Amino acid sequence: KRGRVIVTKYHDHDADGIQDENDEQLSDWDITLGDLTETTDDDGQTTFENVLPGNYNLSELIQEGWNQSNIACSEEGEIDNDNEHSIAVNPGDEIRCSIGNYQNGEINGIKWNDENGNSENDEENGLSGWVIFIDENGNGQLDGEEIFVQTGQDGSYDLTELAPGTYRVCEVQQEGWSQTYPLNSELNDCHDVVVTSGDAISGIDFGNQEVILGLAIEKSNDKGVAIRGDTVTYTLTLENTSNQIVQNISVIDVLPAGFSYVTGSTQINGLAAADPSSASGVLTWDIGTLAQGEVVTISYQATIAGDITAATYENLATCEGEGFSRTEQLLGSVECDPSASSAVRVEVNPEFSGNVGGASVLGASISLPAAGSETAILFYTLMTIVIGLLFKLGGQVILINLTKGKKYGKN
């Protein structure tokens, strides 16, 4: 008595070696049992009738572009994909077998320069020479024998010949750049891509922005020229010139000797604010965070000591902070470059003893009031000259009269 072998040929979309509900059957495939070859019909089946008892190899002619996932007969649970499946046919047996096949897929995408950092490709330029890889162990790093490719001149890449399965696709970060897409910390900012048989999956893109870190500071004052006891108002303007967020910003201002901070005088963006910390004339304000392009203005007052030496006094201001990406990744420290300075020329209240600018003022002696205005100083100087002239002219009149008196006395 002879046996019978029925073979079903199917498209194994997920390459798991099991015919699932959505795995359609394949026609026109040549199946071989021992020396016999049959072709699958429209239902993807072929039957070997009147098979003599014995041991046979079941195989197929694998078509170009296809791979075998499994040959299984009856209730066999193990995967056998070497295209030589041994079966034993006994008298009267009806053996049902299945053969699964799949096609490799591919993943492709673009690596682009996300200049505006908005996580969208706004027809921006591609980036060449970046490494894209399949992260088999899920650690976010390119290791050992993991598959990788480099992006081309236009930023494109292709990962080809991928068997059906789930792949984690990542990029190798480069110094000085911040990834803007994808952003998903649970996947190490990578893509999880499911590839099924014959898929060509596109749009698995990566965006990066070149990191520019910078803070700019300017400083001015409302005096320029002052005298002892004056109060000077300083204004500091700080701008985040980075294309990233800057956090933990401190503004440091070094007052010159003889200048003292006026408690309660700080204003930030026109509103009263806390006093800075102060140590040996070094003032420090904690500004916190500035977004890209954000500007903050600090103003404060300082008094000039009454015994200060006449000179030009310059004070310096700088700042420091830390740059962070949109995903709160620390990108590096940043400082104001260059620092800012503002000068005040202090003129001591002059006491006149007949001299203005080294010239005698007609013997008069007068002290100028403690005023910081150059106009006031000029006014009092002119008054001194006028008074001196009057004294001099008055003395001449008296002398003339005395001379006349002596002359008339002789007569």
Side-chain angles (χ1 to χ4, degrees):
K1 193 173 181 179
R2 302 190 179 195
R4 188 176 187 219
V5 177
I6 302 171
V7 179
T8 300
K9 183 83 184 73
Y10 68 95
H11 186 176
D12 191 3
H13 285 276
D14 58 6
D16 65 350
I18 301 172
Q19 186 174 10
D20 302 313
E21 185 177 351
N22 66 332
D23 290 343
E24 74 275 12
Q25 295 172 176
L26 298 172
S27 62
D28 295 322
W29 280 69
D30 290 337
I31 310 298
T32 299
L33 180 66
D35 296 329
L36 302 174
T37 298
E38 300 287 347
T39 302
T40 58
D41 59 20
D42 290 342
D43 293 327
Q45 287 189 341
T46 188
T47 301
F48 295 91
E49 302 281 2
N50 299 314
V51 179
L52 292 171
N55 294 320
Y56 296 87
N57 278 331
L58 178 63
S59 64
E60 66 177 345
L61 178 61
I62 299 175
Q63 297 182 11
E64 184 176 357
W66 290 81
N67 303 281
Q68 188 179 94
S69 63
N70 194 20
I71 300 179
C73 295
S74 300
E75 300 299 323
E76 295 172 345
E78 295 182 359
I79 297 297
D80 182 0
N81 56 13
D82 64 1
N83 203 27
E84 290 185 0
H85 190 75
S86 180
I87 61 174
V89 178
N90 296 310
D93 279 352
E94 180 177 284
I95 301 174
R96 292 184 176 272
C97 299
S98 61
I99 303 176
N101 290 75
Y102 66 90
Q103 294 175 305
N104 285 332
E106 63 181 58
I107 298 171
N108 56 67
I110 293 288
K111 173 78 188 141
W112 90 92
N113 183 0
D114 190 7
E115 295 183 12
N116 58 14
N118 69 349
S119 301
E120 297 180 3
N121 190 346
D122 304 311
E123 298 184 357
E124 292 158 313
N125 293 327
L127 293 170
S128 63
W130 285 67
V131 173
I132 309 297
F133 68 99
I134 294 176
D135 188 14
E136 294 179 7
N137 59 12
N139 68 351
Q141 299 177 358
L142 177 60
D143 301 307
E145 301 299 319
E146 290 177 333
I147 298 170
F148 71 92
V149 294
Q150 284 192 321
T151 58
Q153 285 297 113
D154 61 352
S156 65
Y157 76 90
D158 292 284
L159 291 164
T160 60
E161 297 300 317
L162 302 177
T166 299
Y167 295 90
R168 180 161 295 183
V169 183
C170 306
E171 67 172 2
V172 174
Q173 301 296 323
Q174 292 190 14
E175 186 176 356
W177 292 79
S178 174
Q179 186 172 339
T180 61
Y181 182 83
L183 299 176
N184 40 31
S185 58
E186 67 277 8
L187 300 181
N188 294 319
D189 296 334
C190 302
H191 295 279
D192 268 0
V193 183
V194 177
V195 176
T196 60
S197 177
D199 280 347
I201 299 177
S202 60
I204 308 305
D205 300 336
F206 293 86
N208 286 70
Q209 182 183 40
E210 188 172 10
V211 174
I212 300 172
L213 295 180
L215 291 169
I217 191 168
E218 295 180 354
K219 183 168 187 179
S220 62
N221 69 76
D222 67 340
K223 289 293 184 186
V225 177
I227 62 173
R228 292 171 173 173
D230 265 354
T231 298
V232 181
T233 299
Y234 289 101
T235 300
L236 299 164
T237 302
L238 176 66
E239 180 181 3
N240 177 9
T241 57
S242 309
N243 60 2
Q244 309 291 326
I245 299 169
V246 180
Q247 299 181 11
N248 306 320
I249 299 174
S250 296
V251 174
I252 302 100
D253 192 312
V254 183
L255 285 173
F259 285 61
S260 300
Y261 172 77
V262 176
T263 301
S265 65
T266 290
Q267 290 191 343
I268 296 180
N269 292 335
L271 300 176
D275 289 326
S277 60
S278 179
S280 301
V282 178
L283 308 177
T284 302
W285 288 268
D286 292 327
I287 301 302
T289 299
L290 289 181
Q292 177 183 348
E294 189 174 355
V295 176
V296 64
T297 300
I298 305 169
S299 64
Y300 72 93
Q301 293 181 328
T303 56
I304 302 173
D307 58 352
I308 198 170
T309 303
T312 296
Y313 291 85
E314 184 174 18
N315 76 323
L316 299 175
T318 187
C319 66
E320 58 188 21
E322 294 176 319
F324 284 84
S325 69
R326 294 171 61 188
T327 57
E328 295 298 312
Q329 177 188 0
L330 177 63
L331 300 173
S333 60
V334 56
E335 297 180 354
C336 286
D337 186 18
S339 57
S341 64
S342 181
V344 175
R345 189 173 80 249
V346 177
E347 295 183 348
V348 178
N349 301 347
E351 292 186 357
F352 289 92
S353 298
N355 289 281
V356 175
S360 175
V361 187
L362 305 177
S365 177
I366 187 168
S367 296
L368 297 181
S373 169
E374 292 183 347
T375 303
I377 294 172
L378 179 60
F379 172 76
Y380 282 104
T381 302
L382 291 175
M383 289 298 296
T384 302
I385 294 172
V386 171
I387 293 170
L389 288 172
L390 290 176
F391 277 129
K392 185 170 183 179
L393 291 175
Q396 289 178 344
V397 170
I398 294 170
L399 181 60
I400 291 171
N401 288 336
L402 289 174
T403 302
K404 287 183 177 180
K406 289 180 181 181
K407 182 177 180 181
Y408 294 140
K410 287 182 180 181
N411 293 334

